Amino acid sequence: MLPEPKKPVNFYKSDKPMITVNIGRTFLKTYNQKYNKSFSAKEFFEQEYFELFFNHSKYLQWPTNSPFVQMKKGQKPHLLKNEDRLEKLENLHSKISDGEQDASIAMGFPASEVKEYATTSGLITDLDLTFDNDEIYLSWIGSGLSIGVAGGFSILFDQPDILLQTYEGWKVYRKFLNDPTLGRLSGNKITSWNGQWLSYSFSKDYREEFDYASLDNLGVFKIDKTDIVIATVKWSKLFFNLSTKFPDTTYTGYVFSLGQTNKTLGFFPFKFQQARKIITFYKQLFGENAAMKDAGYYENLYGIHIRRACELGAIGIQALEPEGLRKYFQNDKIPNLKKAASPRKGNQTEEEYDAQTKTVEEKDYENKIIPFRTYKTWLLAMITKNKEELSDYTQQVAKAIYEYREADKKGSKKRANIVQNQLFASKTKKGFLEALTEIISEVDSEKLQIFKDLRDRIHLMNNEDFGYFVVLLKFDYAYQERVS
């Protein structure tokens, strides 16, 4: 059986739970309405899908064991003639007419086994279901709308706007594959392409007059020794860009993987409004210009592995936990935000030194400032109460802690040890309060009230908020070290 969704969801358009069929049905209905057509599934498959996906020397998709990839002796896909490809299309039609419905004929269906499903089957049910021929063609259409994301998984959204936009991208991929100047571009990567296309076409970077070079500059492609391949988009980047189109919406996505061993993670709500919430916080904290300038960086920093994200039961703020942040929860490590040095070499001209310094400052901004802002925004978003107030408050407390440490006797490491090895190393409120009590016993009178207020706040926090608060305080403390 398909796994139970984490929450009850309404995803299917029929009572037959084969995902690719239902996605294909939603798409075809929407397509016919938009373009004033009345295509059956078979007609769309012949006139649109086959023509875009398979009637060329490079395919958009490599459907394992299907007639399109079963070659006669001496045949190679890129050397097939038009009549060869039409023959393979007729072979598919014949198999469908004969009632064959295994994974080589119907996309997302179980592999053919007499007694049991193959171990590689996915998106299946153990109910005894029979699908009509039209639904087999719908399964092909649905499979071509899968959205590939980094981590080896794909997503299907049963949403007309997303499906139509994905379809528009098919034509772009075909155009690129047919471009003689892009002979090294790999075919068969429709799911990876769909992810990159959706992310780009819904992003602030989208331009009507785009070309291969503009997408290449955005990291859509990567070059290996022999080929140009499509980089798989990170789910969080796709999530942020979809949120610009659907800012106040939650859509249910089906997350799965088709490969040597197929995996089904299930149905999960994608809470696009929470992506907008993160961006809103970023703007409030660091300004509109910084939010726009930094977007390309923080969109890639946000987000745990898609499998772990799904284990949370929903795709939202918690799943956007930034890469590299977890280690600061697990030990007393203080982030290093100190400015990078740019030592001058003896034989450098003024112009060379200025160029070097500019490069160092840019790397420093990318490697320290943007991660700091990204981490701080997420931590504040995760704290349940008084988010806006806490931003200024933790900066004030961090400054007081830094000044307390710096006021220690010359040569003494007592206060540094209290701060790093007791206060920031605390895993519980009790440990934190004990370290805070020691600080209060010797802090200057003008700072005393800050630490007393901190003690009172900690008492009132729940344990989860306390964990986020301490890490937030570490980062504000590290930033205070940077600017002092």
Side-chain angles (χ1 to χ4, degrees):
M1 292 285 290
L2 290 171
E4 288 288 324
K6 300 290 184 177
K7 296 181 179 180
V9 293
N10 295 316
F11 189 86
Y12 299 115
K13 298 298 184 185
S14 79
D15 57 357
K16 296 179 180 179
M18 195 64 71
I19 310 306
T20 49
V21 172
N22 293 293
I23 293 294
R25 180 178 287 109
T26 297
F27 167 78
L28 186 59
K29 178 182 177 181
T30 307
Y31 173 89
N32 281 334
Q33 288 173 344
K34 178 173 181 179
Y35 294 102
N36 196 26
K37 302 283 188 179
S38 55
F39 281 157
S40 67
K42 182 178 180 180
E43 289 170 337
F44 180 87
F45 184 85
E46 285 185 325
Q47 297 182 41
E48 286 281 334
Y49 201 94
F50 171 73
E51 290 298 329
L52 283 169
F53 275 62
F54 301 117
N55 201 15
H56 301 269
S57 60
K58 284 185 181 180
Y59 290 175
L60 266 62
Q61 181 183 37
W62 190 261
T64 305
N65 296 327
S66 75
F68 295 114
V69 303
Q70 291 177 348
M71 301 294 159
K72 295 179 181 179
K73 186 176 180 180
Q75 282 188 337
K76 294 183 182 299
H78 66 285
L79 297 178
L80 293 175
K81 297 177 181 177
N82 187 59
E83 54 264 32
D84 297 325
R85 291 190 286 267
L86 290 174
E87 181 183 14
K88 294 182 186 301
L89 175 62
E90 287 306 314
N91 286 343
L92 178 69
H93 287 329
S94 296
K95 289 177 181 291
I96 293 174
S97 295
D98 291 343
E100 295 188 33
Q101 297 189 358
D102 66 33
S104 68
I105 306 303
M107 298 295 99
F109 281 42
S112 177
E113 281 195 11
V114 175
K115 294 184 179 179
E116 192 59 73
Y117 293 139
T119 57
T120 56
S121 297
L123 295 81
I124 63 171
T125 173
D126 59 7
L127 298 176
D128 185 16
L129 298 174
T130 301
F131 291 81
D132 63 38
N133 290 354
D134 230 32
E135 289 174 312
I136 305 306
Y137 291 108
L138 288 174
S139 77
W140 282 82
I141 298 168
S143 75
L145 294 162
S146 301
I147 305 163
V149 294
F153 287 89
S154 295
I155 307 168
L156 284 168
F157 289 107
D158 193 15
Q159 295 298 331
D161 287 347
I162 293 177
L163 298 178
L164 276 176
Q165 190 69 9
T166 306
Y167 161 76
E168 293 298 329
W170 293 352
K171 293 178 280 189
V172 178
Y173 187 23
R174 170 50 60 203
K175 177 184 174 183
F176 286 162
L177 285 178
N178 289 357
D179 188 334
T181 67
L182 299 175
R184 293 172 61 194
L185 181 61
S186 296
N188 308 321
K189 304 297 182 185
I190 190 60
T191 56
S192 294
W193 169 258
N194 288 344
Q196 287 285 9
W197 166 253
L198 274 181
S199 183
Y200 169 68
S201 61
F202 283 140
S203 76
K204 61 178 176 54
D205 295 315
Y206 178 73
R207 301 290 183 272
E208 289 286 343
E209 300 300 322
F210 69 90
D211 56 12
Y212 169 85
S214 56
L215 296 187
D216 189 35
N217 289 336
L218 293 170
V220 170
F221 305 101
K222 58 184 180 181
I223 300 175
D224 63 19
K225 291 182 180 179
T226 58
D227 297 311
I228 301 170
V229 297
I230 299 167
T232 313
V233 71
K234 191 171 180 183
W235 74 262
S236 55
K237 188 177 184 68
L238 174 68
F239 184 65
F240 277 114
N241 287 330
L242 285 175
S243 77
T244 63
K245 176 69 174 177
F246 312 106
D248 302 312
T249 310
T250 295
Y251 283 156
T252 298
Y254 182 77
V255 185
F256 66 99
S257 169
L258 293 181
Q260 285 297 105
T261 303
N262 295 338
K263 303 179 183 73
T264 296
L265 298 186
F267 298 92
F268 303 93
F270 282 69
K271 300 181 176 182
F272 296 121
Q273 67 272 31
Q274 294 196 1
R276 305 315 301 168
K277 190 175 182 181
I278 283 279
I279 294 170
T280 297
F281 272 133
Y282 204 102
K283 289 177 181 177
Q284 289 174 350
L285 291 170
F286 309 111
E288 186 96 23
N289 289 339
M292 293 178 64
K293 175 184 175 184
D294 301 348
Y297 298 99
Y298 67 64
E299 286 173 359
N300 284 319
L301 271 177
Y302 281 118
I304 56 180
H305 191 284
I306 185 64
R307 178 191 286 277
R308 281 191 55 218
C310 290
E311 288 171 358
L312 297 172
I315 308 301
I317 287 177
Q318 190 173 1
L320 286 170
E321 179 184 316
E323 180 182 336
L325 179 61
R326 181 55 43 180
K327 62 189 175 188
Y328 297 106
F329 285 86
Q330 297 166 346
N331 56 42
D332 59 353
K333 184 177 178 65
I334 303 294
N336 177 16
L337 298 181
K338 293 177 181 176
K339 292 179 182 178
S342 179
R344 184 166 190 163
K345 298 170 186 176
N347 59 349
Q348 276 185 316
T349 65
E350 197 68 35
E351 186 177 340
E352 289 171 335
Y353 178 66
D354 288 345
Q356 171 190 293
T357 301
K358 182 181 179 181
T359 300
V360 169
E361 288 174 349
E362 287 173 350
K363 290 292 183 185
D364 183 68
Y365 185 83
E366 292 174 17
N367 297 333
K368 294 184 178 179
I369 297 303
I370 293 177
F372 162 70
R373 291 174 172 177
T374 303
Y375 295 159
K376 179 163 183 169
T377 302
W378 184 82
L379 289 164
L380 281 168
M382 287 300 295
I383 293 172
T384 56
K385 296 178 181 178
N386 304 321
K387 303 175 193 293
E388 291 82 1
E389 176 195 343
L390 273 178
S391 174
D392 292 335
Y393 178 71
T394 53
Q395 291 179 56
Q396 180 188 16
V397 171
K399 186 169 187 272
I401 294 172
Y402 176 79
E403 290 173 350
Y404 160 78
R405 190 202 73 184
E406 288 295 290
D408 203 358
K409 295 176 182 178
K410 188 174 182 180
S412 171
K413 294 186 177 180
K414 177 188 173 185
R415 292 188 175 186
N417 286 331
I418 292 172
V419 169
Q420 183 160 346
N421 300 327
Q422 295 180 45
L423 190 75
F424 288 144
S426 300
K427 301 295 188 294
T428 64
K429 292 200 294 182
K430 182 175 181 292
F432 189 91
L433 290 169
E434 286 174 352
L436 194 56
T437 298
E438 189 163 354
I439 292 174
I440 288 173
S441 70
E442 57 181 7
V443 74
D444 294 341
S445 57
E446 64 268 20
K447 302 292 183 184
L448 187 59
Q449 193 58 46
I450 292 175
F451 290 104
K452 285 184 176 180
D453 288 345
L454 175 61
R455 177 191 60 195
D456 295 341
R457 282 178 181 261
I458 297 296
H459 272 300
L460 295 174
M461 285 182 187
N462 62 47
N463 289 331
E464 186 175 6
D465 279 359
F466 168 74
Y468 296 130
F469 179 84
V470 172
V471 178
L472 177 58
L473 199 55
K474 284 183 184 181
F475 276 94
D476 276 330
Y477 177 84
Y479 191 77
Q480 190 61 44
E481 286 186 317
R482 175 188 176 92
V483 298
S484 296

